[in-house]
Amino acid sequence: MCEYSSQEGMPNDWHLVHLGSRAVGGAGLVMTEATAVEPSGRISPDDTGIYNDAQAEAWARIAAFIESQGAVPGIQLAHAGRKASMSSPWKGNELVPPESGGWSPVYSAGDEAFADGYPVPQALDMEGIERVKRRFKEAAERSLQAGFRMVEIHGAHGYLLHQFYSPLSNKRTDVYGGSFENRTRLIREVVQEVRSVWPDSYPVFLRISSSDWVDGGWAVEDSISLAKMVGRLGVDLIDCSSGGNVASAKIPIGPGYQVPFAEAIRKDAGIPTGAVGLITEPHQADQILSEGKADLIILARELLRDPYWPRRAAKELGAEIQAPNQYLRAW
């Protein structure tokens, strides 16, 4: 994942992005995605993790290379919850039983499966909740030791933290269920655990699903309230995605369809936001920024389709970016 931004007085350029006292740019921010904080938190057996020292050592080489190229290395910490132990999409996105490399149990706020074909989860008890919080903290510590300078907590797309804050998946009656305050307790406590070991000079992002896209579910107004709360706890930017917690949700997918969430949260919660989702064209991205709808453009799938998107964007927008040394003769 890479992030693009522009600032007043510096249009159409790659540069440092400042969030309070924390800088997160350079030539850009390069971020891993869905790096599991414990084995049972992987989406699939193929997923990466940072729950042991050997993984941290492997990531350290990647983080060092990213930084050597003038970019900032970031890592996204995740726990899949009830969406765990599934095969990779190119392998059919099917349940992987323990005898085939999967695992059991998987965990959630309750005991309801995400959809047919997914594992039936075990509701986390208090000991399990404390373990998850500790795993996020330990993963942040390893990430720092590995050389990452930015961390994002993945609380979106129907994964564990989203399963807790959405009323559609959280039917608990204890202090982690029921009211908005209780349902958001786990994600707020995870933020506090991560921030307790993450330097003040380095930013913490939080990815959320801004809406469940289902009546009676999590809505943008809830996201605004949550953003205000976590902003006071040390979150520097809200990465505004949506959906993923209800298999039957009808999502009106189209170019920039999630940008209004980033705009609303930025305006009403007073916190920087990142826009993501079908942002594919340089002028489209630049307009979102210039109109103040978001502070960052977050690119993931578009960079898989077009790894040279930053070069194309620079050319179309009249900016200059530095070529890798190996490419200078052809630049």
Side-chain angles (χ1 to χ4, degrees):
M1 181 182 292
C2 187
E3 307 197 359
Y4 168 79
S5 69
S6 65
Q7 282 181 342
E8 184 178 355
M10 296 184 66
N12 307 333
D13 199 3
W14 294 87
H15 62 280
L16 281 170
V17 180
H18 291 281
L19 300 174
S21 62
R22 301 165 189 132
V24 299
L29 168 64
V30 179
M31 180 164 58
T32 75
E33 292 191 279
T35 307
V37 300
E38 65 176 5
S40 64
R42 293 170 294 162
I43 305 168
S44 81
D46 299 320
D47 276 20
T48 60
I50 192 162
Y51 46 79
N52 61 48
D53 292 340
Q55 292 169 334
E57 290 172 6
W59 279 118
R61 297 195 297 271
I62 296 171
F65 175 77
I66 292 170
E67 193 155 32
S68 74
Q69 302 305 302
V72 172
I75 188 168
Q76 184 187 81
L77 303 180
H79 194 300
R82 66 179 181 177
K83 284 183 152 183
S85 198
M86 301 295 289
S87 63
S88 298
W90 59 90
K91 297 180 180 178
N93 196 36
E94 298 174 344
L95 177 63
V96 182
E99 60 268 23
S100 299
W103 52 92
S104 183
V106 301
Y107 300 98
S108 184
D111 58 4
E112 183 179 353
F114 169 66
D116 292 343
Y118 280 76
V120 175
Q122 182 179 110
L124 279 169
D125 58 17
M126 290 300 177
E127 182 179 351
I129 287 173
E130 290 301 316
R131 185 194 74 245
V132 166
K133 289 159 52 179
R134 187 168 62 251
R135 293 291 184 259
F136 270 96
K137 179 179 180 178
E138 292 168 350
E141 290 177 315
R142 287 194 176 94
S143 298
L144 184 63
Q145 293 166 4
F148 289 102
R149 292 173 53 199
M150 166 268 171
V151 65
E152 176 171 272
I153 299 165
H154 196 336
H157 301 167
Y159 298 134
L160 182 65
L161 300 180
H162 187 181
Q163 292 160 28
F164 268 80
Y165 66 71
S166 171
L168 301 178
S169 49
N170 186 344
K171 308 297 183 183
R172 300 172 73 102
T173 57
D174 61 8
V175 295
Y176 287 94
S179 67
F180 175 89
E181 177 81 14
N182 284 354
R183 285 184 285 107
T184 61
R185 188 182 305 277
L186 179 57
I187 195 168
R188 289 184 284 110
E189 289 179 342
V190 166
V191 166
Q192 289 176 298
E193 292 291 338
V194 170
R195 189 35 103 181
S196 73
V197 297
W198 200 251
D200 287 342
S201 57
Y202 292 170
V204 172
F205 289 6
L206 177 63
R207 168 163 269 203
I208 64 171
S209 278
S210 307
S211 171
D212 280 331
W213 296 105
V214 175
D215 290 342
W218 184 266
V220 67
E221 293 78 14
D222 300 309
S223 295
I224 292 167
S225 297
L226 176 61
K228 291 177 180 178
M229 298 167 80
V230 297
R232 293 191 290 268
L233 298 176
V235 167
D236 298 286
L237 179 139
I238 304 295
D239 177 354
C240 303
S241 193
S242 69
N245 198 41
V246 180
S248 61
K250 304 299 182 183
I251 303 177
I253 294 176
Y257 70 104
Q258 295 175 144
V259 173
F261 297 134
E263 182 178 15
I265 293 169
R266 183 179 192 266
K267 175 183 176 183
D268 295 339
I271 189 170
T273 59
V276 61
L278 286 182
I279 300 171
T280 59
E281 296 302 321
H283 286 284
Q284 175 196 16
D286 198 56
Q287 184 176 8
I288 292 167
L289 297 169
S290 63
E291 292 178 354
K293 295 179 178 179
D295 298 275
L296 294 179
I297 300 298
I298 300 170
L299 302 173
R301 295 180 188 180
E302 182 59 19
L303 290 179
L304 298 179
R305 291 185 288 264
D306 180 8
Y308 287 94
W309 193 94
R311 186 177 190 276
R312 179 164 65 88
K315 186 175 181 180
E316 291 185 20
L317 298 173
E320 292 185 7
I321 58 175
Q322 184 177 355
N325 292 335
Q326 303 93 318
Y327 298 174
L328 283 172
R329 293 179 64 185
W331 204 249

